[in-house]
Amino acid sequence: MRDLVFLGLGSMVGTGIFTITGIGAANYAGPALVVSILLSALAIGILALFYAEFASRIPQNGGAYSYVYATLGEFPAWLVGWCIILEFITAVSSVAVGWGSYLKGILQQYNICLPNFLNGSFNIEKGTYIDLLPMLVMVFVIFIVMRNAKTALRFNSLLVILKFSALALFIIVGIFHIKITNWIPFAPFGWGQLYAGKTGIFAGASIMFFAFLGFESISMTVDEVHNPQKTIPKSIILSLGITASLYIIVTLILTGIINYQHLNVSDAVSYALRQVDLTWAADYVSLVAILTLITVCISMTFAVSRTVFSISRDGLLPKILKKVSIKTKIPKNATLLVGSISLICAGLFPLDYLAQFVNISTMTYLIIMSIALIVLRKEKGSPETGQFKTPLVPILPILSIIICLSFMSQYNLKTWISFIIALLIGIMIYFLYGFQHSNLNEMTQKEIKK
């Protein structure tokens, strides 16, 4: 169980805590973001149980895409696959933006600044047109992944240690600079609304969902675990509990060091340390974040290129995207495509918007997965002995759908419009190309001819 807990911590702790906590406090919930974190952790815990049962009963590579394909069929599976692609592309972009923010923080210490028009997401009022540093790091990431990302990922274990050391340093030195007055008022935006709110604790929970991405890593190991029925839930609860506790401690110190209104930055952890003249600590946190986040970019680009490759192999995307380099065994066209889109998004869009888009894409396919679990139980019955069984079905899947819809309703109109356009593009791709060229359709046509 210890190994599973560390796997969960390694997957969840990092990107969110370094990039989104400040924005969450400044724009959504203030110091009460700690309550938002607890609500998000609860939602994630329920969804992780679904992953565990699917992984146990449908042991196929491909995750949610394969699970839905096996239960609901091709079109729902395509929607899930498309949402996963959207999720990962914008997640890579958001991490690149966070990386750029931490690098800018260090460069500013030496009075090195890019021209304003190259130093921020597209915003005519502020005179910023493109964020150059995140785009440059994406060029580097694409280059590394095209050569062989596995080499870079070998440093992952070391970076996990560095990541926790940076957070420990922040907690140890930051706790002595807390001003209780910064926590008053504790919940300046109140609870907000359960549905269609824009600020408040519920809205904060919807944005902090981003901080727990990677939660499914424990569930996916269900076939390699002894006594999964007990080990998986305990590991999920423990890793989520530790992660949420760490996020809460960091958020409390963050909002205690500096008033929440000043935390609307993508490098909040190091920014707060600089405000109390702990430049050496801020620089260490920034360096660790830079190393950690670039590896996250590499691993996510590596993963999404293979998702595109897998879907292309099923015939739902053009065959050119399943072309693999003979030398490196990397799906080069898929990597170039997703990397280039991530590069453009990183240069044009702010972190807050990207995080919302990641979340709305993720929650859409999690809703479909919740429905798929209900259908799986109805058609196949309860899991067999030795397989993982999610408790309280269909109550928990219905509850998860309600929670996801609540979170999704908190996002702004611009995010919804962008997501709907992206979803319509995905539906058009399926009906104009995927349906006709899918392996399933080809098999059906052969059966008809016989």
Side-chain angles (χ1 to χ4, degrees), residues 95-116:
V95 175
V97 171
W99 179 91
S101 297
Y102 276 93
L103 181 58
K104 288 174 192 175
I106 289 181
L107 294 177
Q108 284 173 2
Q109 301 303 304
Y110 302 96
N111 296 317
I112 301 173
C113 292
L114 292 173
N116 191 54

Side-chain angles (χ1 to χ4, degrees), residues 32 83 147 249 290 399 401:
C83 286
R147 288 186 63 84
I249 293 168
I290 287 167
L399 178 61
I401 292 170

Side-chain angles (χ1 to χ4, degrees), residues 65 68-69 72-83 85 311-312 314-318 321 421-442 444-445:
Y65 169 73
V68 173
Y69 206 122
L72 299 181
E74 186 176 84
F75 179 62
W78 162 254
L79 290 179
V80 168
W82 183 248
C83 286
I85 292 170
I311 296 174
S312 175
D314 288 340
L316 296 172
L317 284 171
L321 295 174
I421 291 171
L423 197 61
L424 289 174
I425 291 171
I427 293 171
M428 287 174 60
I429 291 172
Y430 176 78
F431 285 108
L432 294 178
Y433 180 88
F435 176 72
Q436 296 176 347
H437 295 85
S438 72
N439 295 345
L440 182 63
N441 184 58
E442 289 181 1
T444 304
Q445 292 301 320

Side-chain angles (χ1 to χ4, degrees), residues 48-84:
L49 295 176
F50 303 167
Y51 261 96
E53 179 164 336
F54 274 116
S56 176
R57 301 185 70 179
I58 307 174
Q60 299 177 15
N61 291 327
Y65 169 73
S66 297
Y67 305 151
V68 173
Y69 206 122
T71 50
L72 299 181
E74 186 176 84
F75 179 62
W78 162 254
L79 290 179
V80 168
W82 183 248
C83 286
I84 290 173

